[in-house]
Amino acid sequence: MKKTIKDFDIENKRVIIRCDFNVPLKDGVITDDTRIVKSLQTINYALKHKAKIILMSHLGRIKKEEDKIKNNLNVVATRLSHLLNKKVTFINETRGKELEQAIFNMNDGDIILMQNTRYEDLDGKKESNCDMELAKYWASLGDIFINDAFGTLHRAHASNVGISTYLPSGIGLLIEQELNALSYLFDPERPFTIILGGAKVSDKIGLIENLLPKCDKILIGGGMAFTFLKAEGYNIGNSLLDEEGLEFCKIILKDYPNKIILPVDIMCHNEYKDEKGVAKDITDLNDDDIGLDIGPKTINIFKNNLIKTKSVLWNGPLGVYEFKNYVEGTNSILKYLTTLDGKTVLGGGDIVAAATACKVTDKIYHISTGGGATLEYLEGKELPGLNNIKEK
Ligand code: AMP
């Protein structure tokens, strides 16, 4: 296990915490503050142990000067201050005299949030390309570095891999929780069922290859089911097809004929829009049918396969859940899982948004906050953001 913030004596120390405050914004207003809320446990731990807390994060992408305005981290400082019920001093620069002076003047328990680390990307992508001079400068501002930005662990940036090259480093409590919950899936209690949906098979080949041998059943819905159904020889009409993933589907259907469960009926419409569709057996699709959700027979088959399961990993919605007419498959399986004994892990991205909208998040064992990082970890890849952090 990697060293965590709890393995350091942080009292009176300047502790740099790399958070993931990459929150969705609309017209400058935070629309979902989950990521800020998730970072509170580490910040509160540092507060309780009287550290001087220097927070950093990226927000959005900065490719041109105008991008700076809409990705100003100031809004996060305000929200964070509200959530902590404590002053958070926002420093509107990523380096310079103002930042250095503010850190020099900190008392124990003070909190500073510096400006979006990706402001440094305007000048030669210094943050995203892990410029080591920038990393060294940032490291010079602190005594200890804590990485709690799970969502960027699969990237080598100056504000994670870079700083941890120069300072004694550990992971924060959010990353610790994420790694514990996700690594549970490498040796889970059986039966272990994977539910996969979402758009493209080719995005998830690594995940399927790594976990398929370890699971007992894999239930496939969403857009990606149609590439499997096409590989089985069905007419999928105008439904989503991922040509690139077709060959892979043929191979794994042959290698694991008893593990893969595909939809037997589909909610169809002849246009991609939020209008009531009709349920059709998979043998009955016309050339102009578009499959937008799994049908009622499939929902029952999926439920029957889940009854006795002890562990579930779910990535990707089972239909176009953004349309109220096609959210039924995803929501009924989400709700069903909350009635079972097993542990369910929701692996990043759209399925988390679907679970939030369905109001079941408090009944789920673990909800992973990272999109790409979650997938890469589950694919068995090394996460660069952890490389410089020593084992306990
Ligand atoms: P992913 O990022 O691969 O998990 O894909 C999530 C997206 O898949 C969501 O935006 C869904 O709308 C989309 N999706 C799910 N089911 C379907 C479907 N049957 N046809 C087209 N898109 C779908």
Side-chain angles (χ1 to χ4, degrees), residues 197-201 203-204 221-226 239-240 266-267 272 290-294 315-323 326 330 348-351 375:
K200 290 174 81 185
V201 180
D203 289 346
K204 301 186 184 168
M224 73 151 68
F226 295 99
S239 308
L240 200 69
I266 300 290
M267 299 306 296
Y272 182 84
I290 303 175
L292 297 167
D293 196 7
I294 54 172
N315 176 273
L318 300 177
V320 183
Y321 75 104
E322 299 93 331
F323 291 169
Y326 299 103
T330 303
D350 284 74
I351 192 58
L375 282 183

CSV table of all heavy atoms in Angstrom, one decimal, residues 197-201 203-204 221-226 239-240 266-267 272 290-294 315-323 326 330 348-351 375, ligand 1:
chain,number,residue,atom,x,y,z
A,197,GLY,N,-22.0,-1.0,-20.6
A,197,GLY,CA,-22.8,-0.3,-21.6
A,197,GLY,C,-22.0,0.9,-22.2
A,197,GLY,O,-20.8,0.8,-22.2
A,198,GLY,N,-22.7,1.9,-22.6
A,198,GLY,CA,-22.0,3.1,-23.1
A,198,GLY,C,-21.9,2.9,-24.6
A,198,GLY,O,-22.6,2.1,-25.2
A,199,ALA,N,-21.1,3.7,-25.2
A,199,ALA,CA,-21.1,3.9,-26.7
A,199,ALA,C,-20.2,2.9,-27.4
A,199,ALA,O,-20.7,2.0,-28.2
A,199,ALA,CB,-20.7,5.3,-27.0
A,200,LYS,N,-18.9,2.9,-27.2
A,200,LYS,CA,-18.0,2.2,-28.1
A,200,LYS,C,-17.3,1.0,-27.4
A,200,LYS,O,-16.8,1.1,-26.3
A,200,LYS,CB,-17.0,3.1,-28.6
A,200,LYS,CG,-17.5,4.1,-29.6
A,200,LYS,CD,-16.5,5.1,-30.0
A,200,LYS,CE,-15.6,4.6,-31.0
A,200,LYS,NZ,-14.5,5.6,-31.3
A,201,VAL,N,-17.3,-0.1,-28.1
A,201,VAL,CA,-16.6,-1.3,-27.6
A,201,VAL,C,-15.1,-1.0,-27.6
A,201,VAL,O,-14.4,-1.4,-26.6
A,201,VAL,CB,-16.8,-2.5,-28.6
A,201,VAL,CG1,-16.0,-3.7,-28.1
A,201,VAL,CG2,-18.3,-2.8,-28.7
A,203,ASP,N,-13.4,1.5,-27.0
A,203,ASP,CA,-12.8,2.2,-25.8
A,203,ASP,C,-12.6,1.3,-24.6
A,203,ASP,O,-11.9,1.6,-23.7
A,203,ASP,CB,-13.9,3.2,-25.3
A,203,ASP,CG,-14.0,4.4,-26.3
A,203,ASP,OD1,-13.1,4.5,-27.1
A,203,ASP,OD2,-15.0,5.2,-26.1
A,204,LYS,N,-13.3,0.1,-24.6
A,204,LYS,CA,-13.3,-0.7,-23.4
A,204,LYS,C,-12.6,-2.1,-23.6
A,204,LYS,O,-12.8,-3.0,-22.8
A,204,LYS,CB,-14.7,-0.9,-22.9
A,204,LYS,CG,-15.2,0.6,-22.6
A,204,LYS,CD,-16.6,0.7,-22.0
A,204,LYS,CE,-16.9,2.2,-21.9
A,204,LYS,NZ,-18.3,2.4,-21.6
A,221,GLY,N,-25.1,-4.1,-22.5
A,221,GLY,CA,-26.2,-3.3,-23.0
A,221,GLY,C,-25.7,-2.0,-23.7
A,221,GLY,O,-24.5,-2.0,-24.0
A,222,GLY,N,-26.5,-1.0,-23.8
A,222,GLY,CA,-26.1,0.3,-24.3
A,222,GLY,C,-25.7,0.2,-25.8
A,222,GLY,O,-26.0,-0.8,-26.5
A,223,GLY,N,-25.1,1.2,-26.3
A,223,GLY,CA,-24.7,1.3,-27.7
A,223,GLY,C,-23.8,0.1,-28.1
A,223,GLY,O,-23.9,-0.5,-29.2
A,224,MET,N,-22.9,-0.3,-27.1
A,224,MET,CA,-21.9,-1.3,-27.5
A,224,MET,C,-22.5,-2.6,-27.7
A,224,MET,O,-21.9,-3.5,-28.4
A,224,MET,CB,-20.8,-1.3,-26.4
A,224,MET,CG,-21.2,-1.9,-25.1
A,224,MET,SD,-19.7,-2.7,-24.4
A,224,MET,CE,-18.8,-1.2,-24.0
A,225,ALA,N,-23.7,-2.9,-27.2
A,225,ALA,CA,-24.3,-4.2,-27.4
A,225,ALA,C,-24.5,-4.5,-28.9
A,225,ALA,O,-24.5,-5.6,-29.3
A,225,ALA,CB,-25.7,-4.3,-26.7
A,226,PHE,N,-24.8,-3.4,-29.7
A,226,PHE,CA,-25.1,-3.6,-31.1
A,226,PHE,C,-23.9,-4.2,-31.9
A,226,PHE,O,-24.1,-4.9,-32.9
A,226,PHE,CB,-25.7,-2.3,-31.7
A,226,PHE,CG,-27.0,-2.0,-31.0
A,226,PHE,CD1,-27.1,-1.1,-30.0
A,226,PHE,CD2,-28.2,-2.7,-31.4
A,226,PHE,CE1,-28.3,-0.8,-29.4
A,226,PHE,CE2,-29.4,-2.5,-30.7
A,226,PHE,CZ,-29.4,-1.5,-29.7
A,239,SER,N,-28.7,1.2,-35.6
A,239,SER,CA,-28.2,1.3,-34.3
A,239,SER,C,-26.7,1.6,-34.4
A,239,SER,O,-26.0,1.3,-35.4
A,239,SER,CB,-28.4,0.1,-33.5
A,239,SER,OG,-29.8,-0.3,-33.5
A,240,LEU,N,-26.2,2.1,-33.2
A,240,LEU,CA,-24.7,2.4,-33.2
A,240,LEU,C,-23.9,1.1,-33.5
A,240,LEU,O,-24.1,0.1,-32.9
A,240,LEU,CB,-24.4,2.8,-31.7
A,240,LEU,CG,-23.2,3.6,-31.5
A,240,LEU,CD1,-23.3,5.0,-32.2
A,240,LEU,CD2,-22.9,3.8,-30.0
A,266,ILE,N,-35.1,-4.9,-27.6
A,266,ILE,CA,-34.6,-3.5,-27.6
A,266,ILE,C,-35.7,-2.5,-27.7
A,266,ILE,O,-36.7,-2.8,-28.4
A,266,ILE,CB,-33.7,-3.4,-28.9
A,266,ILE,CG1,-32.6,-4.4,-29.0
A,266,ILE,CG2,-33.2,-2.0,-29.2
A,266,ILE,CD1,-31.4,-4.2,-28.0
A,267,MET,N,-35.5,-1.3,-27.1
A,267,MET,CA,-36.4,-0.2,-27.3
A,267,MET,C,-36.0,0.6,-28.6
A,267,MET,O,-34.8,1.1,-28.6
A,267,MET,CB,-36.5,0.7,-26.1
A,267,MET,CG,-36.9,0.1,-24.8
A,267,MET,SD,-38.5,-0.8,-24.9
A,267,MET,CE,-39.6,0.6,-25.3
A,272,TYR,N,-33.1,9.3,-33.8
A,272,TYR,CA,-32.4,9.4,-32.6
A,272,TYR,C,-33.0,10.6,-31.8
A,272,TYR,O,-32.5,11.7,-32.0
A,272,TYR,CB,-30.9,9.6,-32.9
A,272,TYR,CG,-30.0,9.7,-31.7
A,272,TYR,CD1,-29.6,8.5,-31.0
A,272,TYR,CD2,-29.7,10.9,-31.1
A,272,TYR,CE1,-28.8,8.6,-29.9
A,272,TYR,CE2,-28.9,11.0,-30.0
A,272,TYR,CZ,-28.4,9.9,-29.4
A,272,TYR,OH,-27.6,9.9,-28.3
A,290,ILE,N,-33.5,2.2,-34.8
A,290,ILE,CA,-32.3,2.6,-33.9
A,290,ILE,C,-32.6,2.1,-32.5
A,290,ILE,O,-33.6,2.4,-31.9
A,290,ILE,CB,-32.1,4.1,-33.9
A,290,ILE,CG1,-32.0,4.7,-35.3
A,290,ILE,CG2,-30.9,4.5,-33.1
A,290,ILE,CD1,-31.9,6.2,-35.4
A,291,GLY,N,-31.7,1.3,-32.0
A,291,GLY,CA,-31.9,0.8,-30.6
A,291,GLY,C,-31.4,1.8,-29.6
A,291,GLY,O,-30.2,2.2,-29.7
A,292,LEU,N,-32.3,2.2,-28.7
A,292,LEU,CA,-31.9,3.3,-27.8
A,292,LEU,C,-31.9,2.8,-26.3
A,292,LEU,O,-31.4,3.6,-25.4
A,292,LEU,CB,-32.8,4.5,-28.0
A,292,LEU,CG,-32.7,5.1,-29.4
A,292,LEU,CD1,-33.9,6.1,-29.6
A,292,LEU,CD2,-31.4,5.8,-29.6
A,293,ASP,N,-32.4,1.6,-26.0
A,293,ASP,CA,-32.4,1.1,-24.7
A,293,ASP,C,-32.6,-0.4,-24.7
A,293,ASP,O,-33.1,-0.9,-25.8
A,293,ASP,CB,-33.5,1.8,-23.8
A,293,ASP,CG,-33.3,1.6,-22.3
A,293,ASP,OD1,-32.2,1.1,-21.9
A,293,ASP,OD2,-34.2,2.0,-21.6
A,294,ILE,N,-32.3,-1.1,-23.6
A,294,ILE,CA,-32.6,-2.5,-23.6
A,294,ILE,C,-34.1,-2.6,-23.3
A,294,ILE,O,-34.7,-1.7,-22.7
A,294,ILE,CB,-31.8,-3.3,-22.5
A,294,ILE,CG1,-31.9,-2.6,-21.1
A,294,ILE,CG2,-30.3,-3.4,-22.9
A,294,ILE,CD1,-31.3,-3.4,-20.0
A,315,ASN,N,-19.8,-0.3,-15.8
A,315,ASN,CA,-19.3,0.8,-16.6
A,315,ASN,C,-20.2,1.1,-17.8
A,315,ASN,O,-20.4,0.2,-18.6
A,315,ASN,CB,-17.8,0.6,-17.0
A,315,ASN,CG,-17.3,1.7,-17.8
A,315,ASN,OD1,-17.5,1.7,-19.0
A,315,ASN,ND2,-16.7,2.7,-17.2
A,316,GLY,N,-20.7,2.3,-17.9
A,316,GLY,CA,-21.5,2.7,-19.1
A,316,GLY,C,-23.0,2.4,-19.0
A,316,GLY,O,-23.4,1.3,-18.6
A,317,PRO,N,-23.8,3.4,-19.3
A,317,PRO,CA,-25.3,3.2,-19.2
A,317,PRO,C,-25.8,2.2,-20.3
A,317,PRO,O,-25.2,2.0,-21.3
A,317,PRO,CB,-25.8,4.6,-19.5
A,317,PRO,CG,-24.7,5.3,-20.3
A,317,PRO,CD,-23.4,4.7,-19.9
A,318,LEU,N,-27.0,1.6,-19.9
A,318,LEU,CA,-27.5,0.5,-20.8
A,318,LEU,C,-28.4,1.1,-21.9
A,318,LEU,O,-28.9,0.3,-22.8
A,318,LEU,CB,-28.4,-0.4,-19.9
A,318,LEU,CG,-27.5,-1.1,-18.8
A,318,LEU,CD1,-28.4,-2.0,-18.0
A,318,LEU,CD2,-26.4,-1.9,-19.4
A,319,GLY,N,-28.6,2.4,-21.9
A,319,GLY,CA,-29.3,3.1,-23.0
A,319,GLY,C,-28.9,4.5,-23.1
A,319,GLY,O,-28.1,5.0,-22.3
A,320,VAL,N,-29.6,5.3,-23.9
A,320,VAL,CA,-29.3,6.7,-24.0
A,320,VAL,C,-30.0,7.3,-22.8
A,320,VAL,O,-31.1,7.9,-22.9
A,320,VAL,CB,-29.8,7.3,-25.4
A,320,VAL,CG1,-29.5,8.8,-25.5
A,320,VAL,CG2,-29.2,6.5,-26.5
A,321,TYR,N,-29.4,7.3,-21.7
A,321,TYR,CA,-30.0,7.7,-20.4
A,321,TYR,C,-30.3,9.2,-20.3
A,321,TYR,O,-31.1,9.6,-19.5
A,321,TYR,CB,-29.1,7.2,-19.2
A,321,TYR,CG,-27.9,8.1,-19.0
A,321,TYR,CD1,-27.9,9.0,-18.0
A,321,TYR,CD2,-26.9,8.0,-19.9
A,321,TYR,CE1,-26.8,9.9,-17.8
A,321,TYR,CE2,-25.8,8.9,-19.7
A,321,TYR,CZ,-25.8,9.8,-18.7
A,321,TYR,OH,-24.7,10.6,-18.6
A,322,GLU,N,-29.7,9.9,-21.2
A,322,GLU,CA,-29.9,11.4,-21.2
A,322,GLU,C,-31.4,11.6,-21.7
A,322,GLU,O,-31.9,12.7,-21.4
A,322,GLU,CB,-28.9,12.1,-22.2
A,322,GLU,CG,-27.5,12.0,-21.8
A,322,GLU,CD,-26.8,10.8,-22.5
A,322,GLU,OE1,-27.4,9.8,-22.8
A,322,GLU,OE2,-25.5,10.9,-22.7
A,323,PHE,N,-32.0,10.7,-22.4
A,323,PHE,CA,-33.3,10.8,-22.9
A,323,PHE,C,-34.3,10.1,-21.9
A,323,PHE,O,-34.1,9.0,-21.6
A,323,PHE,CB,-33.5,10.1,-24.3
A,323,PHE,CG,-32.8,10.7,-25.4
A,323,PHE,CD1,-32.7,10.1,-26.6
A,323,PHE,CD2,-32.3,12.0,-25.3
A,323,PHE,CE1,-32.1,10.7,-27.7
A,323,PHE,CE2,-31.6,12.6,-26.4
A,323,PHE,CZ,-31.5,11.9,-27.6
A,326,TYR,N,-35.6,6.7,-22.6
A,326,TYR,CA,-34.6,5.6,-22.7
A,326,TYR,C,-33.7,5.3,-21.5
A,326,TYR,O,-32.6,4.8,-21.6
A,326,TYR,CB,-33.8,5.7,-24.0
A,326,TYR,CG,-34.8,5.8,-25.2
A,326,TYR,CD1,-35.1,7.0,-25.9
A,326,TYR,CD2,-35.4,4.6,-25.7
A,326,TYR,CE1,-36.0,7.0,-26.9
A,326,TYR,CE2,-36.3,4.6,-26.7
A,326,TYR,CZ,-36.6,5.8,-27.3
A,326,TYR,OH,-37.5,5.8,-28.4
A,330,THR,N,-31.4,1.4,-17.6
A,330,THR,CA,-30.3,1.7,-16.7
A,330,THR,C,-30.9,1.9,-15.3
A,330,THR,O,-30.3,1.3,-14.3
A,330,THR,CB,-29.7,3.1,-17.2
A,330,THR,OG1,-29.2,2.9,-18.5
A,330,THR,CG2,-28.5,3.5,-16.3
A,348,GLY,N,-16.8,5.1,-13.0
A,348,GLY,CA,-16.6,6.3,-13.7
A,348,GLY,C,-17.5,6.7,-14.7
A,348,GLY,O,-18.2,6.0,-15.4
A,349,GLY,N,-17.5,8.1,-15.0
A,349,GLY,CA,-18.2,8.7,-16.1
A,349,GLY,C,-19.7,8.7,-16.1
A,349,GLY,O,-20.4,9.0,-15.1
A,350,ASP,N,-20.3,8.2,-17.2
A,350,ASP,CA,-21.7,8.4,-17.4
A,350,ASP,C,-22.6,7.6,-16.5
A,350,ASP,O,-23.7,8.0,-16.1
A,350,ASP,CB,-22.1,8.0,-18.8
A,350,ASP,CG,-21.7,9.1,-19.8
A,350,ASP,OD1,-20.5,9.2,-20.1
A,350,ASP,OD2,-22.6,9.8,-20.2
A,351,ILE,N,-22.1,6.4,-16.0
A,351,ILE,CA,-23.0,5.6,-15.2
A,351,ILE,C,-23.1,6.3,-13.8
A,351,ILE,O,-24.1,6.1,-13.1
A,351,ILE,CB,-22.5,4.1,-15.0
A,351,ILE,CG1,-23.5,3.3,-14.4
A,351,ILE,CG2,-21.1,4.0,-14.4
A,351,ILE,CD1,-24.9,3.2,-15.0
A,375,LEU,N,-10.7,3.5,-15.6
A,375,LEU,CA,-10.6,2.5,-16.6
A,375,LEU,C,-9.2,1.9,-16.8
A,375,LEU,O,-9.0,0.7,-16.8
A,375,LEU,CB,-11.1,3.0,-18.0
A,375,LEU,CG,-12.6,3.2,-18.2
A,375,LEU,CD1,-12.9,3.7,-19.6
A,375,LEU,CD2,-13.3,1.8,-17.9
B,1,AMP,P1,-19.4,5.8,-22.6
B,1,AMP,O1,-18.7,7.1,-22.4
B,1,AMP,O2,-18.7,4.9,-23.6
B,1,AMP,O3,-19.7,5.1,-21.3
B,1,AMP,O4,-20.8,6.1,-23.3
B,1,AMP,C1,-21.8,6.8,-22.7
B,1,AMP,C2,-22.8,7.2,-23.8
B,1,AMP,O5,-23.3,6.1,-24.4
B,1,AMP,C3,-23.9,8.0,-23.3
B,1,AMP,O6,-23.8,9.4,-23.7
B,1,AMP,C4,-25.2,7.3,-23.8
B,1,AMP,O7,-26.1,8.2,-24.4
B,1,AMP,C5,-24.5,6.5,-24.9
B,1,AMP,N1,-25.4,5.3,-25.3
B,1,AMP,C6,-25.9,4.4,-24.4
B,1,AMP,N2,-26.7,3.6,-25.1
B,1,AMP,C7,-26.7,4.0,-26.4
B,1,AMP,C8,-27.4,3.5,-27.5
B,1,AMP,N3,-28.2,2.4,-27.5
B,1,AMP,N4,-27.2,4.2,-28.7
B,1,AMP,C9,-26.4,5.2,-28.7
B,1,AMP,N5,-25.7,5.7,-27.6
B,1,AMP,C10,-25.9,5.1,-26.5
